[in-house]
């Protein structure tokens, strides 16, 4: 008789062996399930990494597209503003030429008035001095006013064009409405 035969009755021994075999089979099932869970987790993690990489690529592409859209808006508005500035400066040259013609006409008028004898004694004071000729003062005042108006008008045109361009750029840089 074996060592176990002396301690455990003969009819209990097959039950113990059966229980050990059932326990061993249960462990095998648990190990198999654990391995299947590990394989499933690896597969899910791999799918997650693939999805995350695709999402990152899509996000990068969307960001590049948005940057290109914004740059295109800024470039178009800058080009439009430059065209308007060129046009405004050309208009200022035309206005300056017209003002020059008016100054020439005023000088001719003053000379004609003096030749006609309507102003027999021009005043003896200097420009802007008491006693200066009123026609000379008028011509000087007109010339200064015209120069100041031209400078202010050019500056105002420049600011208006640049300000409107900045507003359109800022509006264009807003995310597109969906």
């Amino acid at each position: 008789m074996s060592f176990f035969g002396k301690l455990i009755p003969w009819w209990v021994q097959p039950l113990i062996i059966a229980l050990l075999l059932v326990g061993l089979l249960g462990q095998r099932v648990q190990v198999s399930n654990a391995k299947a869970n590990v394989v499933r987790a690896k597969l899910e993690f791999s799918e997650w990494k693939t999805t995350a990489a695709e999402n990152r690529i899509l996000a990068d592409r969307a960001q590049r597209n948005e940057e290109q859209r914004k740059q295109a808006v800024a470039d178009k508005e800058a080009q439009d503003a430059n065209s308007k500035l060129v046009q405004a400066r050309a208009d200022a040259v035309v206005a300056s030429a017209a003002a020059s013609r008016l100054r020439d006409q005023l000088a001719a008028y003053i000379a004609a008035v003096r030749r006609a004898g309507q102003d027999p004694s021009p005043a003896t004071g200097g420009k802007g001095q008491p006693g200066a000729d009123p026609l000379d003062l008028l011509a000087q005042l007109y010339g200064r006013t015209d120069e100041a108006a031209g400078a202010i008008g050019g500056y105002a045109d420049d600011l208006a064009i640049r300000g409107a361009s900045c507003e359109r750029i800022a509006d264009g840089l807003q995310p597109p409405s969906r």
Side-chain angles (χ1 to χ4, degrees), residues 28-44:
R28 288 275 244 179
V29 168
Q30 286 180 347
V31 167
S32 176
N33 286 342
K35 286 181 180 179
N37 287 339
V38 167
V39 168
R40 191 175 326 115
K42 284 182 179 180
L43 179 63
E44 288 174 1

Side-chain angles (χ1 to χ4, degrees), residues 1-138:
M1 224 188 225
S2 73
F3 174 72
F4 288 113
K6 294 179 186 175
L7 295 176
I8 301 173
W10 68 268
W11 57 273
V12 176
Q13 288 177 5
L15 288 176
I16 292 174
I17 291 174
L19 287 174
L20 287 175
L21 287 175
V22 168
L24 184 60
L25 183 60
Q27 287 296 319
R28 288 275 244 179
V29 168
Q30 286 180 347
V31 167
S32 176
N33 286 342
K35 286 181 180 179
N37 287 339
V38 167
V39 168
R40 191 175 326 115
K42 284 182 179 180
L43 179 63
E44 288 174 1
F45 182 66
S46 174
E47 289 173 355
W48 177 83
K49 285 189 339 185
T50 301
T51 302
E54 289 171 353
N55 288 341
R56 185 176 56 247
I57 289 169
L58 291 175
D60 289 346
R61 185 177 301 145
Q63 184 178 3
R64 271 193 312 277
N65 289 343
E66 180 64 11
E67 288 171 358
Q68 289 172 350
R69 183 191 70 81
K70 287 179 179 181
Q71 187 62 47
V73 166
D75 290 346
K76 179 187 176 298
E77 289 304 328
Q79 193 174 30
D80 289 349
N82 283 337
S83 298
K84 289 178 182 178
L85 285 172
V86 167
Q87 182 61 43
R89 289 178 183 141
D91 292 345
V93 168
V94 170
S96 177
S100 178
R101 285 191 302 275
L102 284 175
R103 281 191 297 273
D104 291 345
Q105 288 175 354
L106 180 60
Y109 174 74
I110 291 172
V113 166
R114 287 195 178 134
R115 277 191 308 271
Q118 295 176 356
D119 188 11
S121 58
T124 57
K127 286 186 176 181
Q129 302 282 328
D133 187 5
L135 289 175
D136 288 338
L137 288 176
L138 177 64

Side-chain angles (χ1 to χ4, degrees), residues 157-169:
D157 286 346
D158 191 59
L159 288 179
I161 291 168
R162 291 176 191 267
S165 177
C166 285
E167 284 181 20
R168 286 190 301 274
I169 288 172

